[in-house]
Each structure stands twice: as C-alpha cells, then as structure tokens.
Amino acid sequence: MLNIEIETIWRFHKEGTPHTIVVMLGILNEIRKTGKLTSAANHAHLSYRHVWNLVEQWSVFFGVPLVETHRGKGTTLTAFGEKLVWAGQRMQARLGPQLENLAQELVTEIKPFLHQRPSVIRVHASHGFAVSKLRELLDREPGIGVDLRYVSNQNSLVSLAQGACDLSGVHLPRGGLRAQSEMGLMVKRGNPLKIASLKDLVDRKARFVNRDHDSGTRLLFDQLLTLHKIDEAKINGGQQMEFTHAAVAAYVASGMADASFGVEAAARQFGLDFVRLLTEDYFFVCRRAFLETEPMQRVLDIMKGNEFHKAVAALPGYVAANTGSVSTVREFLDSVYAKTVTSRKGKN
C-alpha cells in the first residue's frame, strides 16, 4: 500500500546572511519531557555528542541558550526553548490534518498509474482520534485503500449528499462507528483558575480559545452556551479560533490561553487537566447501496474486531460502543429520541 507523509521543517535564517539553521523540535521536546539529553539522542537515533553539538549550534545562532544543565538533576529547557517547542506543537496540531489531506490527494492522483489498484473507500470526516485509529488498521488491509479527508461536520454530510465520498463521519451529543468520547473543558495542569463549569469561564475572566465555526465541536459549544444562558461575547477570547482538538489543546498548553473546549484525549496528549461536561457519539453515514459492497463489509468487520476496540479503549475518554452496528436513519433518530425521553424522566 502506497502512503505519503508530508512533514514540516523549521528553517531559520538571519537577514543579510545566507546562513540558515534547521531546528529539530523533536529533540527539544524530548528534553522537555524527560530532562535527559541521552533520551533525546536515542529518540532521534543520533549520538549524544551530535545532539549536544546541535543544541550548542542553535544557542549560538539565536544568541540565547535553549537548555540548562543541572548537576544531578538532568537538563531542562530555558524559557526560550520552551517557547520554541510549544510553537512547534501548535504548528503541528494546526497544520497536521491539512498536510494529511494534501498527502491523500497526492496518493489518489498517483494510484491510477500503479499496477495494483485496491478498492478505495472515500471518507470525509471531522477530525477525531478514533477515526485516525480506524485508518491505521485499514491501511494494513491488503486490497483496500482509504482516501480520508478531514472536513467539518457539515461539509462531510454535504460531500456524501453530492456523491463526493462514500462514508461521512460526524459526531453528535450521545446518540451513534459508535465511538463515544468525553467532551469538556481543557485547562492548565492543576487547574489554577479552578474552572469547573462554563460559567466559570466568564466569572474568572479565563483566556479562551475556540474552535472554528464549521466544526461540530463549535456547534456543540454554542448550544451549551445557549442552554446555560451565557453570552459568548463575555468570554475572553471567544472569537480566537483553531481548527482541531489538538490545536486548541496545544494553545492552552503553551500558555496562550487558560481553557478551551474539546475531547479528553487531546487534553491528555498535551498534559492538561480535563473538566468533563458531556459525552458524544461519533458515527458514520453512508448510502444503503454502498453498505452492501465488499469493501464496506470489511470496514464493518474491522470496526467489530478486538484490535479496533483495544485501540479505541487506549484513547483517554473514548469508549467503543456497538462499533460496526448498522441502523437506518429512522432507527437512529428514534433511538436518540428514546434516550432523550428516558434522560428527562430520570431528572424529574
């Protein structure tokens, strides 16, 4: 199976000089996480001496140190080193899905010229951690290919209606794949502002970073604000937007915001605390005719398999619930309605 990966490179240069320098942020991030140059060297498959020389070159180039060594206590990043790392984390979280989309476009263009042409399933889905796991498993399947494009909730359904994709992945509060994920507020480690609710965002004047208007997460957040009678204009930074769960989590982790709204898996990925507000379901929509095809039947088998269940269970805040089960739109809406009625009765 042909795969293409597109990676970003940070290349710095100074005005008036041809000298450039490439900073490998993975090395600095490993130092940040472990406090050891040896771990950073092993992680990068480089010698200790080479990594140390690189760090010294970077420090000379910028004119400020990137790391500090402490006798008996290992190595830590300086404030400038930390800033570089978190800027890189935000960049990767922001551009990652876009680069994956571009890579998939290139694969789709190239495959017709190859001798082996696997059955390709076109998937348009909002960005989710469980979707990525499903794609990893499908990529290992012989004779089947996945053309996965990350798009907004609304656009994925439009794509299906227009015939631009075979599967549309969307998420809704409780109701559907069904991979359930916990949704809530991502806050700094230790929750220094003691944020426990949406109202606290306003009362504590927390700096907030929001999702883009087309995302299902933003739609859900806006609905929660309406439910709790909270004016978005009163949220500090409510109009500051990023395009993925990971991007808003990186924004908070880098110290540029105090809180955001998203999935628990993104919060844990960036070492943040998480305040759960609700559970949502992620599911796929497809046409009945495609459901009967051999490629789609293989997708359902993988969804029902132990390997996918284990992969989803390993994601913080995710649960594989009835994955691979099939229902009509009417059956699905009836089940959502029944759950809503039961929930309301339980509160009365």
Side-chain angles (χ1 to χ4, degrees), residues 21 64 72 75 111 143 166 310:
I21 185 168
V64 292
T75 305
K111 277 183 178 178
D166 305 307
K310 290 179 180 178

Side-chain angles (χ1 to χ4, degrees), residues 125-309:
S126 57
H127 191 267
F129 290 82
V131 175
S132 296
K133 293 298 182 183
L134 179 61
R135 179 184 183 175
E136 289 177 15
L137 295 180
L138 287 172
D139 281 343
R140 287 157 35 189
E141 284 286 300
I144 187 171
V146 180
D147 183 346
L148 173 61
R149 311 291 176 91
Y150 289 122
V151 300
S152 68
N153 239 26
Q154 179 179 345
N155 288 341
S156 68
L157 289 173
V158 171
S159 296
L160 181 65
Q162 296 176 342
C165 70
D166 305 307
L167 282 178
S168 168
V170 295
H171 49 90
L172 289 175
R174 295 248 53 158
L177 204 60
R178 299 181 174 88
Q180 297 172 350
S181 60
E182 301 297 334
M183 299 286 293
L185 296 172
M186 298 181 277
V187 299
K188 293 180 180 179
R189 181 174 296 178
N191 196 1
L193 295 183
K194 307 303 179 187
I195 296 171
S197 66
L198 294 175
K199 185 172 179 295
D200 288 340
L201 295 176
V202 178
D203 293 345
R204 288 160 172 70
K205 297 181 173 56
R207 295 172 301 157
F208 191 75
V209 56
N210 217 335
R211 286 293 304 279
D212 58 293
H213 290 289
D214 290 334
S215 69
T217 300
R218 176 61 178 269
L219 176 62
L220 178 57
F221 182 70
D222 289 345
Q223 291 173 339
L224 288 174
L225 293 182
T226 301
L227 179 64
H228 292 278
K229 297 181 173 58
I230 297 174
D231 183 359
E232 182 188 319
K234 295 182 179 180
I235 297 178
N236 180 14
Q239 294 307 312
Q240 173 66 44
M241 292 185 295
E242 288 288 346
F243 291 87
T244 66
H245 290 295
V248 292
Y251 213 87
V252 176
S254 66
M256 298 180 68
D258 299 308
S260 185
F261 180 75
V263 296
E264 183 178 354
R268 303 307 180 198
Q269 177 182 341
F270 288 92
L272 301 174
D273 283 359
F274 183 76
V275 180
R276 179 188 174 277
L277 296 180
L278 77 161
T279 300
E280 69 166 6
D281 288 328
Y282 197 105
F283 60 96
F284 283 114
V285 181
C286 72
R287 297 181 182 277
R288 185 187 299 273
F290 183 71
L291 186 65
E292 304 302 326
T293 65
E294 191 268 342
M296 187 58 202
Q297 290 300 311
R298 291 173 66 181
V299 171
L300 292 176
D301 288 341
I302 290 176
M303 288 183 179
K304 296 173 184 177
N306 290 332
E307 191 171 5
F308 181 63
H309 280 222

Side-chain angles (χ1 to χ4, degrees), residues 48-108:
Y48 177 91
R49 180 178 293 276
H50 186 53
V51 168
W52 179 249
N53 287 338
L54 285 174
V55 172
E56 285 192 322
Q57 290 173 17
W58 298 336
S59 298
V60 170
F61 177 84
F62 289 113
V64 292
L66 274 70
V67 303
E68 295 175 339
T69 56
H70 308 275
R71 186 180 296 275
K73 295 183 179 180
T75 305
T76 59
L77 298 184
T78 63
F80 177 65
E82 287 271 357
K83 183 62 67 177
L84 277 181
V85 166
W86 284 117
Q89 294 284 329
R90 293 198 310 275
M91 176 198 67
Q92 183 59 39
R94 182 182 299 170
L95 298 181
Q98 298 178 46
L99 294 178
E100 287 184 36
N101 283 350
L102 178 57
Q104 188 61 64
E105 289 177 14
L106 295 175
V107 169
T108 301

